[in-house]
Amino acid sequence: MVDANNGALPMTVDCVLHNGKLYFEGTIIEGGLAIDGDRIVKIGREPNLPAAGERIDLNRCLVLPGLIDAHVHLRGQRLAYKEDFLSGTQAAVAGGFTTVLDMPNNEPVICSVDSVRKRVELAERKIVANVGFLSSFPHRTDEIADIVREGATAFKLYLSEQIGGVNIEDDDELLQAFTEVSRLNMPLAVHAEDAKMIKNRTNVEKAAGNNDVEAYCRAHPPEAEVKAARRVLQLAEKTKVRVHLCHVSSEETVALVNEAKKKGMDVSCEATPHHLMATSRLLTDLGAPALTDPPLREKKVMEALWGGVREKVIDLVASDHAPHSIREKTADSVWSVRPGVPGLETTLPLLLTKVNEGLLTVNDVVRLLAEKPAQIFGIQDAGFLSEGGMADITVVDLHRVGRIDVDRFHSKAEYSPFDGWKVKGLPVKVFVNGTLVLDKDEVVADEGIGRVLRSRKSLTK
Ligand code: DOR
Ligand code: ZN
Ligand code: ZN
């Protein structure tokens, strides 16, 4: 190890990856890297790499920092029939992600010290990728600091429905919670959709006997997002909390975020691959497998989101991997269908396809799926390749052609709005904490090799 040896390289390292193209400090260098234990100990051209117990030829594939999906529902516990820690993190590494951030709207809801502790304990034995856990607000604001100490990476607020503590209709309560999260300098992710508006519109549609996907879209209009986003940004301005808007899906929300950034607020936002790659037409064509919340939008929204990505108003892409059972996706009425699509195994191939089409660069992909998520969520030592850094590595073959096939998913979800789509660009090898976990199309990881991320203020480890 570098540290144990005063910075000197060991004579023989565990593993050398060679004949690759490395994304290093913003440019591509031809060469490889050396891994010893869980660290990268050398990055360089072939002659400068040390002797190794194992040498892996990368066949000139692209070596990226381990990718991070900042919005994933791993489920487990009472929702393990939809996904569990093992299947969810297997899906992550199969899709090229070495780290995922898990959402707290589970059963039980994660919104207390005990529930975070229990979830971490269960996950630690199973995960094959690194996982950070988000917590919803607890019932008492003074528990927020304890939840941080327990290891939560960030907080998550749903304005679309009451999940966890703090009454979402009460600005004073929200202000108090925002103030505490801000004091602790923790990030706050928000599902911004106005609960009352959704509820009223849903009741109107139901009363009229409407039960198709178009009715669902009318009940979840862009205005519901804009209204909630405005409210959140106002609260964030007052409290100076670091706020992150999840899955933005309207032109106006992008404009609001842009304005807030220009004012100097610490605000960020994400777009999902489904909102970037598909419109409500796909929802009309496919029905339930493409039903998500917020729903797919019109073409002009999709174009505005691409504008947001280009202008860097949209900071990152996150899958919002939200798996459900087939039974939950096949109800007669749209009001009984669970919204959510699995995205861990489709996000990277879809984005790499855009690179091949010339709509994104490799630098964009690294920014959107590694650098920005690491920065915004304070994931230390992640998002870039470095000597002495953790050996979390995603190797991709930009030229490999494939087809999205739900039958080959590692996720328990057996559907996808992208099923059958042709893609160009696939992950071929993934290393998590120095261990090879994806080799070609096979997940080769032992259960439990992933780490639980702890916030910097965590006192538990
Ligand atoms: O489509 C969605 N699915 N939107 C959400 O906000 C929740 C998620 C889920 O957990 O299934
Ligand atoms: Zn959401
Ligand atoms: Zn979500």
Side-chain angles (χ1 to χ4, degrees):
M1 299 284 296
V2 261
D3 286 342
N5 213 357
N6 244 349
L9 273 180
M11 293 293 286
T12 303
V13 298
D14 289 338
C15 179
V16 158
L17 313 183
H18 67 105
N19 191 26
K21 295 179 174 180
L22 277 75
Y23 185 90
F24 185 58
E25 294 176 352
T27 55
I28 305 280
I29 62 168
E30 307 219 344
L33 54 79
I35 300 171
D36 204 48
D38 56 10
R39 303 267 159 186
I40 297 172
V41 293
K42 180 79 188 164
I43 292 174
R45 295 182 197 281
E46 187 79 53
N48 302 320
L49 296 172
E54 187 185 7
R55 284 173 60 81
I56 298 176
D57 187 342
L58 295 179
N59 298 314
R60 300 182 56 74
C61 282
L62 199 53
V63 184
L64 306 179
L67 302 179
I68 301 167
D69 190 337
H71 189 152
V72 169
H73 301 260
L74 286 179
R75 318 282 197 208
Q77 298 176 279
R78 290 205 289 277
L79 298 185
Y81 66 94
K82 297 177 195 252
E83 195 78 289
D84 60 35
F85 292 120
L86 181 61
S87 62
T89 53
Q90 284 175 331
V93 299
F97 293 101
T98 58
T99 297
V100 300
L101 299 185
D102 173 64
M103 297 301 132
N105 63 332
N106 209 50
E107 282 184 32
V109 172
I110 306 306
C111 63
S112 66
V113 170
D114 284 349
S115 56
V116 172
R117 183 178 303 149
K118 180 94 189 128
R119 194 154 172 79
V120 167
E121 271 170 19
L122 290 170
E124 260 170 347
R125 281 178 256 143
K126 293 286 174 193
I127 50 180
V128 298
N130 301 325
V131 181
F133 291 96
L134 277 78
S135 171
S136 283
F137 290 147
H139 294 276
R140 285 185 7 253
T141 307
D142 58 10
E143 199 179 343
I144 289 178
D146 295 327
I147 290 174
V148 173
R149 259 179 237 114
E150 195 57 44
T153 300
F155 288 86
K156 173 82 184 256
L157 169 66
Y158 291 84
L159 288 175
S160 49
E161 59 179 313
Q162 184 67 46
I163 292 175
V166 175
N167 179 1
I168 62 168
E169 299 305 337
D170 187 329
D171 272 5
D172 290 337
E173 279 194 36
L174 284 175
L175 213 52
Q176 224 189 21
F178 278 39
T179 303
E180 179 64 353
V181 174
S182 170
R183 185 181 73 82
L184 297 164
N185 194 23
M186 295 293 285
L188 173 64
V190 183
H191 177 129
E193 258 193 321
D194 188 76
K196 272 191 186 156
M197 195 187 290
I198 294 170
K199 197 157 196 185
N200 292 340
R201 297 209 180 192
T202 301
N203 288 341
V204 169
E205 295 294 337
K206 281 182 176 172
N210 299 328
N211 62 5
D212 53 13
V213 291
E214 287 77 14
Y216 185 92
C217 290
R218 288 192 297 273
H220 291 253
E223 300 88 82
E225 176 178 283
V226 173
K227 187 171 178 205
R230 260 212 181 90
R231 184 171 170 223
V232 165
L233 291 172
Q234 276 164 7
L235 293 166
E237 192 169 16
K238 283 188 188 151
T239 55
K240 302 204 162 37
V241 74
R242 290 160 57 191
V243 72
H244 175 79
L245 296 186
C246 298
H247 45 52
V248 295
S249 65
S250 95
E251 298 152 89
E252 237 181 304
T253 313
V254 177
L256 286 173
V257 171
N258 195 19
E259 234 173 76
K261 284 185 172 182
K262 283 192 176 144
K263 273 197 224 169
M265 285 173 61
D266 201 343
V267 53
S268 55
C269 71
E270 76 193 25
T272 69
H274 41 277
H275 290 110
L276 284 169
M277 314 276 171
T279 67
S280 46
R281 265 190 72 170
L282 190 69
L283 177 59
T284 308
D285 289 350
L286 296 183
L291 189 77
T292 68
D293 186 24
L296 297 177
R297 306 292 195 194
E298 304 302 309
K299 192 166 175 213
K300 77 178 204 311
V301 175
M302 186 173 87
E303 282 162 1
L305 295 179
W306 277 105
V309 169
R310 270 193 303 275
E311 305 290 319
K312 301 187 182 157
V313 179
I314 291 171
D315 298 87
L316 61 93
V317 169
S319 74
D320 194 5
H321 179 80
H324 296 288
S325 71
I326 282 292
R327 235 170 65 93
E328 291 168 315
K329 287 304 257 186
T330 46
D332 284 341
S333 160
V334 77
W335 312 114
S336 307
V337 173
R338 302 297 302 160
V341 298
L344 280 167
E345 289 165 272
T346 54
T347 295
L348 180 60
L350 289 169
L351 289 191
L352 293 177
T353 304
K354 294 292 168 199
V355 172
N356 276 301
E357 288 170 4
L359 283 162
L360 287 174
T361 63
V362 170
N363 294 39
D364 292 331
V365 172
V366 172
R367 186 183 75 251
L368 295 164
L369 294 183
E371 292 166 353
K372 279 291 177 175
Q375 221 176 67
I376 289 165
F377 288 95
I379 307 169
Q380 284 179 316
D381 193 16
F384 52 89
L385 295 173
S386 72
E387 289 182 355
M390 268 302 198
D392 290 340
I393 300 160
T394 301
V395 182
V396 305
D397 183 344
L398 254 184
H399 307 294
R400 191 158 167 230
V401 174
R403 204 176 272 282
I404 289 170
D405 177 359
V406 293
D407 293 336
R408 297 214 309 262
F409 276 1
H410 295 76
S411 167
K412 290 185 184 179
E414 294 172 357
Y415 63 93
S416 164
F418 304 116
D419 192 30
W421 283 32
K422 252 183 95 174
V423 288
K424 187 171 180 186
L426 290 163
V428 286
K429 283 191 201 305
V430 172
F431 292 80
V432 170
N433 306 327
T435 303
L436 181 66
V437 293
L438 179 80
D439 196 9
K440 298 199 187 78
D441 295 321
E442 259 191 89
V443 176
V444 293
D446 289 334
E447 292 182 24
I449 70 106
R451 262 177 316 129
V452 171
L453 306 178
R454 307 272 178 177
S455 89
R456 275 156 297 154
K457 292 185 190 65
S458 166
L459 304 177
T460 49
K461 260 183 194 163

